[in-house]
Amino acid sequence: MVVSRSTHTPDWAEQLKAGWTLPAHWYTDRAILEQEQAAIFDRTWQYAGYMERVAQPGDYFTCRCGNVPIVVLRDADHQLRAFVNVCRHRASEIVCGAGKALTLQCPYHAWTYGLDGSLQGVPRRDRELNFDQSELGLIPVKVDHWGALIFVNLDLGAEPLSQYLGAFPEVMLSSGINFETLKYRGRTEFELAANWKVVAENYLECYHCLPNHPKFSHLINVDPDAYRLRAIDNTLVAQAPLRHAPNSDSFTPYQTAGEVKESLFTLLFPNSAFDIMPGCGNLTVYWFIPIAPDRTYGVFEYFLSEEADSEFERQFTAFQDEVGEEDVALIESVQRGLQSGKVPHGRLMLDSERLIQHFQNLVWRSLT
Ligand code: FES
Ligand SMILES: [Fe+2]
């Protein structure tokens, strides 16, 4: 695969190492997004949803790997399966949202597929010659889970999920959370006027936190010596303590006393992020999917431990949403700046932004 390179920067591996960012046009160019689809979104493990959504045979939900619609389901034999959610007739999406069904029926001309993906019903089939429906099953997708978290991968030859996750489970377990006790509490969906990489890169540094997230920076110690960064292959981690003892002042936006002592922000390359905040058991899964070079769809899914009451839930999700909204303004501003083309390469502050450098290296290596 060949990517277009800036004419005045001959060796991009060296430039990235020195702290220069990927070219601005990588954030605006449709051809680059197409290459990212083929090299990244078609080939990596990405978060899809949680196990409770497919607890019983026939339960299904939809998700995407970049521009590819996917359905994840539990079949009649209780096996977890995933398929490309595109009809083999003329490519309508088959199901949307989530639900429970004995078969998957395409809404366009009513072709019907079994939960094992086989094509089982085709109206007017008896009027066709040489129609072999056994060749027209749904396209399978690799699916696996870590605890309650389900991941999918379009590449049937991809390495197993456990291998791809690498350090991710150990990092998550180091938070002290008993993941078994977490229960789904709700979700927020949104669209951003920015390239998906701007969204990832904003997530990967807290250099911007002090001037932009006053409540967050009062709660979490974002000073460079306290806010620790680690990159282990596909797992990019930021970890930081509370600034003050739990709930020691009236500014604390939610109850921070509990089993989790430190915040932990983990991005699993390319686009699945997992936030754990101090306090009682909590997990916010945040993932973002490119819609266009300058548009990204994002989702927050909130999980809290069983003992978290509705007041905690209200305060906690309001706090997370407020920080998220502060980020949207920053992210969209960066996209407008990149689109100007007047700053073809940014210059990272490598002490505080080295996770961005690691992320950009992963993108770069994937495309070259
Ligand atoms: S596109 Fe699905 S049945 Fe025609
Ligand atoms: Fe932020």
Side-chain angles (χ1 to χ4, degrees):
M1 177 163 300
V2 177
V3 296
S4 45
R5 300 175 188 228
S6 284
T7 48
H8 59 287
T9 49
D11 186 347
W12 264 103
E14 282 305 309
Q15 298 289 324
L16 285 173
K17 207 163 155 196
W20 294 98
T21 65
L22 294 173
H25 77 89
W26 278 38
Y27 298 77
T28 60
D29 190 339
R30 185 163 291 279
I32 293 290
L33 182 58
E34 284 167 9
Q35 291 180 31
E36 289 168 343
Q37 178 69 42
I40 298 173
F41 291 98
D42 282 357
R43 300 176 63 174
T44 56
W45 286 95
Q46 292 145 60
Y47 178 73
Y50 54 97
M51 289 290 259
E52 211 182 303
R53 298 193 87 184
V54 282
Q56 300 299 327
D59 288 347
Y60 69 84
F61 68 85
T62 57
C63 59
R64 305 177 74 84
C65 283
N67 64 12
V68 180
I70 293 188
V71 56
V72 176
L73 59 81
R74 177 82 53 189
D75 75 9
D77 297 325
H78 288 259
Q79 195 184 330
L80 189 62
R81 289 181 184 262
F83 300 100
V84 173
N85 181 25
V86 175
C87 184
R88 297 294 305 274
H89 176 216
R90 277 178 39 227
S92 168
E93 288 176 316
I94 300 166
V95 285
C96 61
K100 192 176 186 69
L102 294 172
T103 56
L104 305 179
Q105 187 172 68
C106 179
Y108 204 169
H109 313 91
W111 283 25
T112 303
Y113 301 87
L115 297 179
D116 60 356
S118 61
L119 179 58
Q120 296 182 345
V122 177
R124 305 187 196 175
R125 185 196 133 188
D126 53 342
R127 301 169 69 91
E128 294 297 310
L129 293 174
N130 304 322
F131 185 88
D132 182 0
Q133 77 185 59
S134 71
E135 290 176 347
L136 295 169
L138 294 178
I139 296 163
V141 173
K142 246 174 134 95
V143 60
D144 203 348
H145 65 105
W146 180 73
L149 308 176
I150 300 173
F151 296 83
V152 288
N153 191 326
L154 284 164
D155 179 3
L156 294 180
E159 62 192 314
L161 174 66
S162 58
Q163 208 171 313
Y164 188 84
L165 291 179
F168 176 82
E170 193 187 318
V171 167
M172 297 292 278
L173 292 171
S174 74
S175 66
I177 288 183
N178 179 358
F179 287 90
E180 306 274 306
T181 65
L182 296 184
K183 285 272 170 268
Y184 172 76
R185 296 292 184 103
R187 67 198 263 140
T188 306
E189 298 181 30
F190 48 94
E191 271 191 39
L192 293 150
N195 183 272
W196 72 277
K197 298 189 293 301
V198 182
V199 181
E201 290 167 10
N202 173 73
Y203 183 83
L204 289 171
E205 54 90 359
C206 208
Y207 186 33
H208 73 272
C209 290
L210 207 51
N212 291 287
H213 298 310
K215 266 193 206 163
F216 179 89
S217 302
H218 184 84
L219 182 74
I220 302 295
N221 190 342
V222 299
D223 300 345
D225 290 329
Y227 200 91
R228 288 115 56 210
L229 308 172
R230 269 185 300 161
I232 316 144
D233 302 322
N234 299 317
T235 306
L236 293 81
V237 191
Q239 194 161 11
L242 283 164
R243 197 177 278 283
H244 309 287
N247 291 89
S248 59
D249 66 63
S250 56
F251 289 114
T252 309
Y254 67 91
Q255 175 59 253
T256 52
E259 69 208 78
V260 189
K261 307 300 175 207
E262 287 205 315
S263 59
L264 183 71
F265 306 108
T266 308
L267 180 88
L268 183 72
F269 183 81
N271 66 336
S272 313
F274 303 84
D275 292 4
I276 293 169
M277 296 295 289
C280 72
N282 68 88
L283 172 69
T284 305
V285 185
Y286 169 34
W287 71 106
F288 35 90
I289 298 171
I291 300 170
D294 60 352
R295 280 207 90 71
T296 300
Y297 162 75
V299 184
F300 285 124
E301 273 181 357
Y302 298 110
F303 302 84
L304 297 175
S305 70
E306 280 150 350
E307 75 254 27
D309 61 21
S310 55
E311 181 54 19
F312 177 90
E313 181 182 322
R314 191 192 63 74
Q315 290 178 0
F316 180 83
T317 54
F319 170 70
Q320 294 283 74
D321 285 347
E322 185 176 327
V323 176
E325 275 163 32
E326 289 162 352
D327 278 325
V328 169
L330 303 171
I331 289 166
E332 294 188 341
S333 168
V334 168
Q335 184 69 27
R336 290 191 295 275
L338 290 164
Q339 279 167 195
S340 76
K342 298 300 181 205
V343 177
H345 304 281
R347 173 60 163 84
L348 295 176
M349 299 291 281
L350 287 180
D351 180 56
S352 300
E353 296 177 310
R354 60 184 181 276
L355 296 188
I356 295 182
Q357 185 188 43
H358 187 88
F359 171 82
Q360 295 197 351
N361 262 300
L362 291 173
V363 172
W364 167 258
R365 289 215 307 261
S366 303
L367 267 63
T368 54

